Structure formats: structure tokens, C-alpha cells
Amino acid sequence: MIDPSADRAVFRQLADLLRDQIMSGELGPGEPLPSELRLAQEYGISRTTVRQAIAQLRTEGLVTVERPRGTFVRIPEEVKLITLARGERAGARMPTDAERRAHRLGEGVPVLVVTAPDGSTTVHPADRVQLTRP
Amino acid sequence: MIDPSADRAVFRQLADLLRDQIMSGELGPGEPLPSELRLAQEYGISRTTVRQAIAQLRTEGLVTVERPRGTFVRIPEEVKLITLARGERAGARMPTDAERRAHRLGEGVPVLVVTAPDGSTTVHPADRVQLTRP
DNA sequence: GTCCATTTGTCCGTATGTATC
DNA sequence: GGATACATACGGACAAATGGA
């Protein structure tokens, strides 16, 4: 399972394990992960290390934490389509903390930034918006 | 500066301070942040808390860490323009581990995913690619 | 070349707070 | 009220890599 003497850090090994379970569907959308204490006991590691692993999955946008209910596999959002107007450009980046709160963004969710010809920009949550061409 | 009795967590307050210095240009691209130990002593907090703050900035893509040289303000990449063809759609998400290595992506850098009408997708690093319309 | 100081990475244990059930 | 679960913060310890004396 987890090898403390391995090259890869313990918290990364645990993140790999959980990520595999999510990607394979063994842990489906909306399903809870075991609690931090449970994981710590199960793998014989500290809760601190478990939290490092879960933090990794949060930054990857794979799980959401509802405190103090638990940690759950992220459920995909409904996607709205936005047309990219002529002369506009679009990029993506991670939101700042303020933007995250303003748009009620989950962790590990980027934003799409659309720049108009006049330089003004609009920001869209990347988990709910996709860009199209008319 | 930092108020331990404030509503906002100490590590978020420190992240806010550093982010402001980066956004304002007081800390320019390529410049080093003070070492973790230095920041801990300067603000009278533990190194653990400092690391939480820096982890926050890493997930936002604002800084890169070169161990053990230090932590530096990220230097913007040259941006290449990609045209969004008719019928294509584009979104953004955080990369998988494999994509991170394949594109040599830094932390906190999303990917742009372009989906063709036939369902095939191409992935671009969001720090080096922007989308346009012809 | 070696030795040493610096810096980040990892891991542990503990404690307290806060929100939910 | 009590139990559970995540959030925050502290402390300590050792490893690994870099760079300079």
C-alpha cells in the first residue's frame, strides 16, 4: 500500500491512491472519502500527513471539503456556453483568494479570462463555463 | 500587520500581505521572497504557518519554489496565440499529474482544453497559450 | 576536493476552535 | 450535551540539495 521508505513522499503516495480510486470510479462523484482520522489509522500515518495528501487533491480540483461534514468527490457542474466575440482573447489562470470568495469557486477550479479589444476583462468560473464560436 | 485575534486566519493574512507586494510590483518577477524562517521570525509566527501562506500563493500560481534556493515571484511566460476553429469549444481545468510533467507545468498553472466537433481534445498550458478568433 | 550554513521538504505529536449531527 | 470532523497553529526533528568558505 504505502511504503515509508520509498522514494515518493508518503503523502504523495496516499494522494496517488485516492486519486486512482476517484479516476477509476471506485469513488464516484459525491461520495465521501474516509475521514482524516480514519485514513491516518488505516495507513498508520499522522493526521498531518493525511491532510497534506487531501490538500493535494483539493488543488487538483478532485475533491471538495464541507466542514465539518467530510471530504467528497467533486460533482461536475452544469456547463454554460459563452461565445467568444470577434477580436476577443481568452486565457485561464487560478483565481486569487478574493476572486474565489466572490464567485463562490471551489478550490482547484481555474477561471477563464476573456479580454475585449479595449482591454477590459471578464472572469468566468472554469467549472461552469465553456467558450464557443458562433 | 498581522493580528492573531482577527477573524481571518493568520496564514491567510500573511498570504494577503505577500500577494499585495507581488501585485503592486514591490516584489517583482524573479525576485526572492524572504526565507520561511525569516518570515516566521519577522511576524512572530511558526514556520508551519508561513508554509501554509506560501502554499496558498503556489496554488494561485504567483510564486515558484526552487529547492533549496528559495521562493521566487513567478516570471510571466511568452504567450502564443491559438485560434479557436469553428465548432470547437474551450474550457480550463487543473492538469493531471501526467500532463504536468509532459508540459513541464509549474504549480498553480491550469490547462486550456480545446474540444473539436468530433470530440477529440487538445491540451495547452494556460501560462503560455491564449485563444483568439480569426 | 571537503566542510558548513542556508533553505525547502517531509513527518510527527499536540492543542484548541468551530460547525454539524 | 456529546461525538465527530475539519481548520488553525504551535513545536520539534531530520533529510536533501545548493552554494560558498
Side-chain angles (χ1 to χ4, degrees), chain B residues 42-69:
Chain B
E42 182 156 351
Y43 293 100
I45 59 184
S46 75
R47 195 188 145 207
T48 311
T49 304
V50 171
R51 279 183 65 77
Q52 276 184 280
I54 292 181
Q56 178 65 39
L57 300 178
R58 291 169 74 163
T59 67
E60 294 176 12
L62 293 179
V63 302
T64 61
V65 177
E66 297 172 36
R67 173 189 177 201
R69 290 192 47 233

PDB file of all heavy atoms in Angstrom, chain B residues 42-69:
ATOM      1  N   GLU B  42      10.097  37.301  11.627  1.00  0.00           N
ATOM      2  CA  GLU B  42       9.655  38.677  11.405  1.00  0.00           C
ATOM      3  C   GLU B  42       8.230  38.914  11.914  1.00  0.00           C
ATOM      4  O   GLU B  42       7.929  39.965  12.471  1.00  0.00           O
ATOM      5  CB  GLU B  42       9.747  39.011   9.906  1.00  0.00           C
ATOM      6  CG  GLU B  42       9.348  40.438   9.594  1.00  0.00           C
ATOM      7  CD  GLU B  42       9.982  40.915   8.298  1.00  0.00           C
ATOM      8  OE1 GLU B  42      10.848  40.189   7.757  1.00  0.00           O
ATOM      9  OE2 GLU B  42       9.606  42.009   7.831  1.00  0.00           O
ATOM     10  N   TYR B  43       7.365  37.921  11.725  1.00  0.00           N
ATOM     11  CA  TYR B  43       5.969  38.116  12.101  1.00  0.00           C
ATOM     12  C   TYR B  43       5.601  37.383  13.388  1.00  0.00           C
ATOM     13  O   TYR B  43       4.435  37.411  13.806  1.00  0.00           O
ATOM     14  CB  TYR B  43       5.048  37.680  10.960  1.00  0.00           C
ATOM     15  CG  TYR B  43       5.167  38.574   9.746  1.00  0.00           C
ATOM     16  CD1 TYR B  43       5.930  38.198   8.649  1.00  0.00           C
ATOM     17  CD2 TYR B  43       4.529  39.812   9.716  1.00  0.00           C
ATOM     18  CE1 TYR B  43       6.048  39.018   7.539  1.00  0.00           C
ATOM     19  CE2 TYR B  43       4.639  40.646   8.614  1.00  0.00           C
ATOM     20  CZ  TYR B  43       5.396  40.236   7.531  1.00  0.00           C
ATOM     21  OH  TYR B  43       5.511  41.059   6.442  1.00  0.00           O
ATOM     22  N   GLY B  44       6.598  36.719  13.988  1.00  0.00           N
ATOM     23  CA  GLY B  44       6.339  36.055  15.256  1.00  0.00           C
ATOM     24  C   GLY B  44       5.377  34.900  15.139  1.00  0.00           C
ATOM     25  O   GLY B  44       4.538  34.688  16.021  1.00  0.00           O
ATOM     26  N   ILE B  45       5.468  34.166  14.035  1.00  0.00           N
ATOM     27  CA  ILE B  45       4.607  33.004  13.841  1.00  0.00           C
ATOM     28  C   ILE B  45       5.477  31.794  13.538  1.00  0.00           C
ATOM     29  O   ILE B  45       6.682  31.912  13.352  1.00  0.00           O
ATOM     30  CB  ILE B  45       3.600  33.234  12.690  1.00  0.00           C
ATOM     31  CG1 ILE B  45       4.352  33.520  11.386  1.00  0.00           C
ATOM     32  CG2 ILE B  45       2.679  34.386  13.015  1.00  0.00           C
ATOM     33  CD1 ILE B  45       3.439  33.846  10.231  1.00  0.00           C
ATOM     34  N   SER B  46       4.851  30.617  13.507  1.00  0.00           N
ATOM     35  CA  SER B  46       5.634  29.404  13.304  1.00  0.00           C
ATOM     36  C   SER B  46       5.923  29.194  11.821  1.00  0.00           C
ATOM     37  O   SER B  46       5.221  29.719  10.948  1.00  0.00           O
ATOM     38  CB  SER B  46       4.884  28.200  13.846  1.00  0.00           C
ATOM     39  OG  SER B  46       3.830  27.849  12.985  1.00  0.00           O
ATOM     40  N   ARG B  47       6.951  28.388  11.578  1.00  0.00           N
ATOM     41  CA  ARG B  47       7.302  28.107  10.180  1.00  0.00           C
ATOM     42  C   ARG B  47       6.173  27.356   9.483  1.00  0.00           C
ATOM     43  O   ARG B  47       5.941  27.528   8.284  1.00  0.00           O
ATOM     44  CB  ARG B  47       8.594  27.276  10.134  1.00  0.00           C
ATOM     45  CG  ARG B  47       9.222  27.259   8.763  1.00  0.00           C
ATOM     46  CD  ARG B  47      10.387  26.278   8.670  1.00  0.00           C
ATOM     47  NE  ARG B  47      10.429  25.681   7.347  1.00  0.00           N
ATOM     48  CZ  ARG B  47      10.927  24.486   7.081  1.00  0.00           C
ATOM     49  NH1 ARG B  47      11.438  23.748   8.043  1.00  0.00           N
ATOM     50  NH2 ARG B  47      10.912  24.040   5.861  1.00  0.00           N
ATOM     51  N   THR B  48       5.465  26.524  10.223  1.00  0.00           N
ATOM     52  CA  THR B  48       4.320  25.800   9.665  1.00  0.00           C
ATOM     53  C   THR B  48       3.314  26.765   9.064  1.00  0.00           C
ATOM     54  O   THR B  48       2.797  26.547   7.963  1.00  0.00           O
ATOM     55  CB  THR B  48       3.635  24.973  10.763  1.00  0.00           C
ATOM     56  OG1 THR B  48       4.628  24.219  11.461  1.00  0.00           O
ATOM     57  CG2 THR B  48       2.593  24.047  10.177  1.00  0.00           C
ATOM     58  N   THR B  49       3.026  27.826   9.803  1.00  0.00           N
ATOM     59  CA  THR B  49       2.044  28.799   9.358  1.00  0.00           C
ATOM     60  C   THR B  49       2.552  29.555   8.130  1.00  0.00           C
ATOM     61  O   THR B  49       1.796  29.825   7.190  1.00  0.00           O
ATOM     62  CB  THR B  49       1.719  29.773  10.498  1.00  0.00           C
ATOM     63  OG1 THR B  49       1.274  29.020  11.625  1.00  0.00           O
ATOM     64  CG2 THR B  49       0.639  30.756  10.097  1.00  0.00           C
ATOM     65  N   VAL B  50       3.854  29.882   8.130  1.00  0.00           N
ATOM     66  CA  VAL B  50       4.434  30.537   6.965  1.00  0.00           C
ATOM     67  C   VAL B  50       4.285  29.642   5.738  1.00  0.00           C
ATOM     68  O   VAL B  50       3.931  30.102   4.649  1.00  0.00           O
ATOM     69  CB  VAL B  50       5.922  30.860   7.198  1.00  0.00           C
ATOM     70  CG1 VAL B  50       6.589  31.334   5.919  1.00  0.00           C
ATOM     71  CG2 VAL B  50       6.061  31.902   8.299  1.00  0.00           C
ATOM     72  N   ARG B  51       4.542  28.353   5.930  1.00  0.00           N
ATOM     73  CA  ARG B  51       4.457  27.437   4.801  1.00  0.00           C
ATOM     74  C   ARG B  51       3.031  27.339   4.263  1.00  0.00           C
ATOM     75  O   ARG B  51       2.829  27.190   3.061  1.00  0.00           O
ATOM     76  CB  ARG B  51       4.964  26.048   5.200  1.00  0.00           C
ATOM     77  CG  ARG B  51       6.480  25.950   5.179  1.00  0.00           C
ATOM     78  CD  ARG B  51       6.964  24.547   5.493  1.00  0.00           C
ATOM     79  NE  ARG B  51       6.573  23.569   4.492  1.00  0.00           N
ATOM     80  CZ  ARG B  51       7.174  23.442   3.312  1.00  0.00           C
ATOM     81  NH1 ARG B  51       8.173  24.227   2.994  1.00  0.00           N
ATOM     82  NH2 ARG B  51       6.755  22.532   2.457  1.00  0.00           N
ATOM     83  N   GLN B  52       2.049  27.448   5.148  1.00  0.00           N
ATOM     84  CA  GLN B  52       0.656  27.450   4.692  1.00  0.00           C
ATOM     85  C   GLN B  52       0.393  28.643   3.784  1.00  0.00           C
ATOM     86  O   GLN B  52      -0.274  28.529   2.752  1.00  0.00           O
ATOM     87  CB  GLN B  52      -0.295  27.499   5.888  1.00  0.00           C
ATOM     88  CG  GLN B  52      -0.589  26.141   6.503  1.00  0.00           C
ATOM     89  CD  GLN B  52      -1.623  26.261   7.616  1.00  0.00           C
ATOM     90  OE1 GLN B  52      -1.294  26.644   8.739  1.00  0.00           O
ATOM     91  NE2 GLN B  52      -2.861  25.957   7.315  1.00  0.00           N
ATOM     92  N   ALA B  53       0.926  29.790   4.193  1.00  0.00           N
ATOM     93  CA  ALA B  53       0.721  31.008   3.405  1.00  0.00           C
ATOM     94  C   ALA B  53       1.364  30.873   2.026  1.00  0.00           C
ATOM     95  O   ALA B  53       0.761  31.196   0.995  1.00  0.00           O
ATOM     96  CB  ALA B  53       1.300  32.210   4.144  1.00  0.00           C
ATOM     97  N   ILE B  54       2.588  30.365   2.008  1.00  0.00           N
ATOM     98  CA  ILE B  54       3.289  30.225   0.727  1.00  0.00           C
ATOM     99  C   ILE B  54       2.620  29.165  -0.142  1.00  0.00           C
ATOM    100  O   ILE B  54       2.527  29.316  -1.360  1.00  0.00           O
ATOM    101  CB  ILE B  54       4.769  29.894   0.975  1.00  0.00           C
ATOM    102  CG1 ILE B  54       5.450  31.119   1.610  1.00  0.00           C
ATOM    103  CG2 ILE B  54       5.474  29.496  -0.310  1.00  0.00           C
ATOM    104  CD1 ILE B  54       6.912  30.940   1.890  1.00  0.00           C
ATOM    105  N   ALA B  55       2.114  28.105   0.499  1.00  0.00           N
ATOM    106  CA  ALA B  55       1.383  27.083  -0.255  1.00  0.00           C
ATOM    107  C   ALA B  55       0.189  27.710  -0.960  1.00  0.00           C
ATOM    108  O   ALA B  55      -0.138  27.356  -2.103  1.00  0.00           O
ATOM    109  CB  ALA B  55       0.927  25.971   0.679  1.00  0.00           C
ATOM    110  N   GLN B  56      -0.454  28.640  -0.295  1.00  0.00           N
ATOM    111  CA  GLN B  56      -1.590  29.342  -0.880  1.00  0.00           C
ATOM    112  C   GLN B  56      -1.172  30.085  -2.149  1.00  0.00           C
ATOM    113  O   GLN B  56      -1.825  30.002  -3.187  1.00  0.00           O
ATOM    114  CB  GLN B  56      -2.169  30.307   0.161  1.00  0.00           C
ATOM    115  CG  GLN B  56      -3.335  31.143  -0.343  1.00  0.00           C
ATOM    116  CD  GLN B  56      -4.548  30.298  -0.684  1.00  0.00           C
ATOM    117  OE1 GLN B  56      -4.863  29.341   0.008  1.00  0.00           O
ATOM    118  NE2 GLN B  56      -5.217  30.639  -1.777  1.00  0.00           N
ATOM    119  N   LEU B  57      -0.048  30.796  -2.056  1.00  0.00           N
ATOM    120  CA  LEU B  57       0.430  31.560  -3.207  1.00  0.00           C
ATOM    121  C   LEU B  57       0.871  30.635  -4.342  1.00  0.00           C
ATOM    122  O   LEU B  57       0.760  30.985  -5.518  1.00  0.00           O
ATOM    123  CB  LEU B  57       1.588  32.466  -2.791  1.00  0.00           C
ATOM    124  CG  LEU B  57       1.253  33.490  -1.705  1.00  0.00           C
ATOM    125  CD1 LEU B  57       2.489  34.310  -1.343  1.00  0.00           C
ATOM    126  CD2 LEU B  57       0.124  34.403  -2.154  1.00  0.00           C
ATOM    127  N   ARG B  58       1.361  29.453  -3.979  1.00  0.00           N
ATOM    128  CA  ARG B  58       1.762  28.478  -5.003  1.00  0.00           C
ATOM    129  C   ARG B  58       0.546  27.993  -5.771  1.00  0.00           C
ATOM    130  O   ARG B  58       0.594  27.884  -7.001  1.00  0.00           O
ATOM    131  CB  ARG B  58       2.479  27.292  -4.351  1.00  0.00           C
ATOM    132  CG  ARG B  58       3.827  27.669  -3.783  1.00  0.00           C
ATOM    133  CD  ARG B  58       4.402  26.565  -2.919  1.00  0.00           C
ATOM    134  NE  ARG B  58       4.895  25.439  -3.725  1.00  0.00           N
ATOM    135  CZ  ARG B  58       5.727  24.518  -3.259  1.00  0.00           C
ATOM    136  NH1 ARG B  58       6.148  24.591  -2.014  1.00  0.00           N
ATOM    137  NH2 ARG B  58       6.135  23.544  -4.023  1.00  0.00           N
ATOM    138  N   THR B  59      -0.548  27.724  -5.066  1.00  0.00           N
ATOM    139  CA  THR B  59      -1.749  27.251  -5.754  1.00  0.00           C
ATOM    140  C   THR B  59      -2.352  28.349  -6.624  1.00  0.00           C
ATOM    141  O   THR B  59      -3.082  28.058  -7.563  1.00  0.00           O
ATOM    142  CB  THR B  59      -2.820  26.770  -4.755  1.00  0.00           C
ATOM    143  OG1 THR B  59      -3.297  27.889  -4.013  1.00  0.00           O
ATOM    144  CG2 THR B  59      -2.240  25.748  -3.798  1.00  0.00           C
ATOM    145  N   GLU B  60      -2.050  29.591  -6.311  1.00  0.00           N
ATOM    146  CA  GLU B  60      -2.544  30.692  -7.125  1.00  0.00           C
ATOM    147  C   GLU B  60      -1.613  30.973  -8.296  1.00  0.00           C
ATOM    148  O   GLU B  60      -1.881  31.856  -9.114  1.00  0.00           O
ATOM    149  CB  GLU B  60      -2.706  31.953  -6.262  1.00  0.00           C
ATOM    150  CG  GLU B  60      -3.789  31.812  -5.199  1.00  0.00           C
ATOM    151  CD  GLU B  60      -3.876  33.030  -4.283  1.00  0.00           C
ATOM    152  OE1 GLU B  60      -3.267  34.065  -4.600  1.00  0.00           O
ATOM    153  OE2 GLU B  60      -4.556  32.927  -3.245  1.00  0.00           O
ATOM    154  N   GLY B  61      -0.508  30.258  -8.347  1.00  0.00           N
ATOM    155  CA  GLY B  61       0.411  30.425  -9.466  1.00  0.00           C
ATOM    156  C   GLY B  61       1.244  31.683  -9.385  1.00  0.00           C
ATOM    157  O   GLY B  61       1.819  32.114 -10.384  1.00  0.00           O
ATOM    158  N   LEU B  62       1.344  32.285  -8.211  1.00  0.00           N
ATOM    159  CA  LEU B  62       2.048  33.560  -8.085  1.00  0.00           C
ATOM    160  C   LEU B  62       3.546  33.384  -7.839  1.00  0.00           C
ATOM    161  O   LEU B  62       4.335  34.263  -8.177  1.00  0.00           O
ATOM    162  CB  LEU B  62       1.442  34.393  -6.950  1.00  0.00           C
ATOM    163  CG  LEU B  62       0.018  34.890  -7.193  1.00  0.00           C
ATOM    164  CD1 LEU B  62      -0.481  35.681  -5.994  1.00  0.00           C
ATOM    165  CD2 LEU B  62      -0.029  35.753  -8.453  1.00  0.00           C
ATOM    166  N   VAL B  63       3.918  32.282  -7.206  1.00  0.00           N
ATOM    167  CA  VAL B  63       5.331  32.058  -6.885  1.00  0.00           C
ATOM    168  C   VAL B  63       5.754  30.658  -7.300  1.00  0.00           C
ATOM    169  O   VAL B  63       4.927  29.755  -7.451  1.00  0.00           O
ATOM    170  CB  VAL B  63       5.618  32.236  -5.383  1.00  0.00           C
ATOM    171  CG1 VAL B  63       5.221  33.629  -4.919  1.00  0.00           C
ATOM    172  CG2 VAL B  63       4.899  31.186  -4.569  1.00  0.00           C
ATOM    173  N   THR B  64       7.052  30.493  -7.500  1.00  0.00           N
ATOM    174  CA  THR B  64       7.605  29.167  -7.752  1.00  0.00           C
ATOM    175  C   THR B  64       8.690  28.924  -6.717  1.00  0.00           C
ATOM    176  O   THR B  64       9.360  29.853  -6.271  1.00  0.00           O
ATOM    177  CB  THR B  64       8.225  29.077  -9.153  1.00  0.00           C
ATOM    178  OG1 THR B  64       9.282  30.036  -9.249  1.00  0.00           O
ATOM    179  CG2 THR B  64       7.191  29.362 -10.219  1.00  0.00           C
ATOM    180  N   VAL B  65       8.854  27.676  -6.350  1.00  0.00           N
ATOM    181  CA  VAL B  65       9.844  27.322  -5.345  1.00  0.00           C
ATOM    182  C   VAL B  65      10.958  26.520  -5.988  1.00  0.00           C
ATOM    183  O   VAL B  65      10.707  25.558  -6.708  1.00  0.00           O
ATOM    184  CB  VAL B  65       9.199  26.509  -4.208  1.00  0.00           C
ATOM    185  CG1 VAL B  65      10.264  26.091  -3.200  1.00  0.00           C
ATOM    186  CG2 VAL B  65       8.126  27.328  -3.524  1.00  0.00           C
ATOM    187  N   GLU B  66      12.177  26.951  -5.766  1.00  0.00           N
ATOM    188  CA  GLU B  66      13.336  26.214  -6.257  1.00  0.00           C
ATOM    189  C   GLU B  66      14.127  25.756  -5.049  1.00  0.00           C
ATOM    190  O   GLU B  66      14.850  26.534  -4.434  1.00  0.00           O
ATOM    191  CB  GLU B  66      14.183  27.114  -7.170  1.00  0.00           C
ATOM    192  CG  GLU B  66      13.445  27.562  -8.425  1.00  0.00           C
ATOM    193  CD  GLU B  66      14.236  28.590  -9.205  1.00  0.00           C
ATOM    194  OE1 GLU B  66      15.478  28.478  -9.237  1.00  0.00           O
ATOM    195  OE2 GLU B  66      13.611  29.516  -9.764  1.00  0.00           O
ATOM    196  N   ARG B  67      13.939  24.498  -4.744  1.00  0.00           N
ATOM    197  CA  ARG B  67      14.564  23.948  -3.543  1.00  0.00           C
ATOM    198  C   ARG B  67      16.003  23.610  -3.832  1.00  0.00           C
ATOM    199  O   ARG B  67      16.291  22.943  -4.821  1.00  0.00           O
ATOM    200  CB  ARG B  67      13.792  22.705  -3.116  1.00  0.00           C
ATOM    201  CG  ARG B  67      14.433  21.951  -1.986  1.00  0.00           C
ATOM    202  CD  ARG B  67      13.737  20.638  -1.782  1.00  0.00           C
ATOM    203  NE  ARG B  67      14.399  19.889  -0.729  1.00  0.00           N
ATOM    204  CZ  ARG B  67      14.284  18.580  -0.605  1.00  0.00           C
ATOM    205  NH1 ARG B  67      13.542  17.911  -1.447  1.00  0.00           N
ATOM    206  NH2 ARG B  67      14.905  17.961   0.354  1.00  0.00           N
ATOM    207  N   PRO B  68      16.889  23.963  -2.907  1.00  0.00           N
ATOM    208  CA  PRO B  68      16.658  24.757  -1.712  1.00  0.00           C
ATOM    209  C   PRO B  68      17.110  26.196  -1.898  1.00  0.00           C
ATOM    210  O   PRO B  68      17.592  26.802  -0.940  1.00  0.00           O
ATOM    211  CB  PRO B  68      17.542  24.063  -0.697  1.00  0.00           C
ATOM    212  CG  PRO B  68      18.739  23.650  -1.493  1.00  0.00           C
ATOM    213  CD  PRO B  68      18.288  23.496  -2.925  1.00  0.00           C
ATOM    214  N   ARG B  69      16.941  26.729  -3.098  1.00  0.00           N
ATOM    215  CA  ARG B  69      17.427  28.089  -3.325  1.00  0.00           C
ATOM    216  C   ARG B  69      16.516  29.132  -2.700  1.00  0.00           C
ATOM    217  O   ARG B  69      16.985  30.134  -2.146  1.00  0.00           O
ATOM    218  CB  ARG B  69      17.570  28.348  -4.823  1.00  0.00           C
ATOM    219  CG  ARG B  69      18.722  27.559  -5.450  1.00  0.00           C
ATOM    220  CD  ARG B  69      19.013  28.057  -6.853  1.00  0.00           C
ATOM    221  NE  ARG B  69      19.093  29.501  -6.873  1.00  0.00           N
ATOM    222  CZ  ARG B  69      18.394  30.272  -7.691  1.00  0.00           C
ATOM    223  NH1 ARG B  69      17.583  29.735  -8.564  1.00  0.00           N
ATOM    224  NH2 ARG B  69      18.523  31.576  -7.643  1.00  0.00           N
TER     225      ARG B  69
END
